[in-house]
Amino acid sequence: MTSLHSADVEASVGLCLHQPRRRVPMEPFWQRFITGAEEALAARGHRLLMKVVESLDDEVRVHARWHEERRVRGVIVADLTPADPRLASLSALGMPAVALARPDDAPGFSTFTDDNVEIVDRVVAHLAERGHRHLARVTGPAMYVHTQLRDEAFARSCEARGIRHERHEADFTADSGAAATRGLVTRADAPSGILFDNDVMALAGLEVCRELELAVPERVAIVAWDDSVALQLANPTVTALAHDLTRYGRGATELLLDTIADGRVRTGRAEPPRLVIREST
């Protein structure tokens, strides 16, 4: 396990991420989310303690140790899974938490989320308007609730428009995004449009298309779930969903601080993202 903030620093809020270590410094999502979280904490005189761990079980143990050592007063829980063991453990500890999930997925806990269903439908509608009849989604790990929600929304939205659809599981990293893209676009029945679950995988997919001399968007259209400067500077520029991730991190953290203060369970919703249409579609 890797500590991103010194373990001897007094902290009020913990954020424990279970994911490939190489993802954290690469993905703008967490960089901007953490910026917002630290802004909210600094405004109230608090600090953030963060660790990257290899599994859910590791995260459960970290939460328990933080609680025992009185290191944090509450935690943010990301990438929820069905029947998530972290929620059961936090409930037993009596530790306040905000889950980045829907209220139904984390009963008894404060939650902060966006509307995955509406967002996916907006992307599919955009591609359908441009004549696409076969779409693919390169996803994050299937174990995550938000991946499952996006999968379901993607399937429903495509089926409602008579569009053939498929998914390919990856892990948010460039290597996995490149491998998924190569597997999709080199088939005889390749999809004409691909939605990637983050900007890192979308950029890797764009590079694969460049290597294979597949024109974007004429041969393959590309959309990224998260926007970034890299997508804006790519050639071609990449269509993406522009989330205010700093505001997302700030909102989730403020919700947690309020929950810590009075024990009340709250729900919050992020501002809906804008679909920024660029050259890749």
Side-chain angles (χ1 to χ4, degrees):
M1 293 180 286
T2 302
S3 176
L4 300 186
H5 282 218
S6 173
D8 59 3
V9 174
E10 288 298 328
S12 297
V13 167
L15 174 60
C16 200
L17 304 178
H18 55 99
Q19 57 188 347
R21 286 191 179 93
R22 62 192 184 278
R23 173 185 163 197
V24 175
M26 290 177 61
E27 193 176 15
F29 176 94
W30 285 116
Q31 295 172 11
R32 286 181 280 166
F33 182 95
I34 291 164
T35 295
E38 291 187 326
E39 287 176 0
L41 291 167
R44 302 199 196 182
H46 300 302
R47 294 183 181 181
L48 178 69
L49 184 66
M50 191 169 78
K51 280 186 176 291
V52 178
V53 297
E54 295 182 359
S55 70
L56 289 173
D57 289 340
D58 283 341
E59 186 168 350
V60 167
R61 286 190 285 271
V62 169
H63 287 164
R65 185 172 70 252
W66 282 348
H67 178 71
E68 180 182 357
E69 297 173 355
R70 300 182 181 275
R71 301 304 311 279
V72 301
R73 299 176 61 194
V75 296
I76 298 170
V77 181
D79 293 333
L80 217 64
T81 66
D84 197 300
R86 294 170 296 173
L87 298 185
S89 174
L90 289 168
S91 182
L93 293 171
M95 181 182 285
V98 164
L100 304 183
R102 303 175 306 172
D104 289 349
D105 298 318
F109 287 89
S110 292
T111 57
F112 198 86
T113 189
D114 52 19
D115 189 342
N116 287 280
V117 174
E118 191 277 334
I119 296 170
V120 170
D121 190 69
R122 200 182 315 168
V123 173
V124 173
H126 166 67
L127 293 171
E129 289 169 0
R130 280 148 181 77
H132 292 275
R133 310 308 300 166
H134 181 187
L135 300 176
R137 215 172 80 76
V138 174
T139 79
M143 64 185 280
Y144 296 149
V145 170
H146 61 69
T147 300
Q148 296 169 16
L149 289 173
R150 295 175 195 177
D151 283 344
E152 293 166 4
F154 184 68
R156 284 196 303 270
S157 188
C158 287
E159 289 165 5
R161 295 174 172 84
I163 295 173
R164 182 182 172 189
H165 59 90
E166 59 185 293
R167 68 180 300 277
H168 195 301
E169 184 177 355
D171 67 3
F172 295 118
T173 63
D175 288 346
S176 71
T181 305
R182 195 175 299 276
L184 287 167
V185 301
T186 55
R187 294 180 352 211
D189 60 342
S192 62
I194 306 174
L195 168 59
F196 292 86
D197 255 5
N198 73 351
D199 57 326
V200 173
M201 295 194 297
L203 287 167
L206 181 63
E207 182 60 29
V208 167
C209 291
R210 184 178 295 114
E211 291 173 3
L212 297 176
E213 298 183 348
L214 298 175
V216 176
E218 293 82 3
R219 173 59 183 80
V220 185
I222 291 176
V223 181
W225 187 268
D226 299 319
D227 199 9
S228 67
V229 172
L231 297 180
Q232 299 166 29
L233 298 176
N235 183 23
T237 56
V238 179
T239 294
L241 290 157
H243 305 255
D244 189 339
L245 297 174
T246 301
R247 187 172 180 178
Y248 191 3
R250 187 166 56 245
T253 305
E254 290 171 346
L255 196 75
L256 175 57
L257 293 175
D258 290 341
T259 299
I260 291 170
D262 62 16
R264 287 178 47 212
V265 171
R266 293 170 165 82
T267 60
R269 184 174 292 276
E271 290 290 322
R274 294 179 296 110
L275 178 62
V276 182
I277 300 169
R278 301 193 180 104
E279 296 167 345
S280 70
T281 58

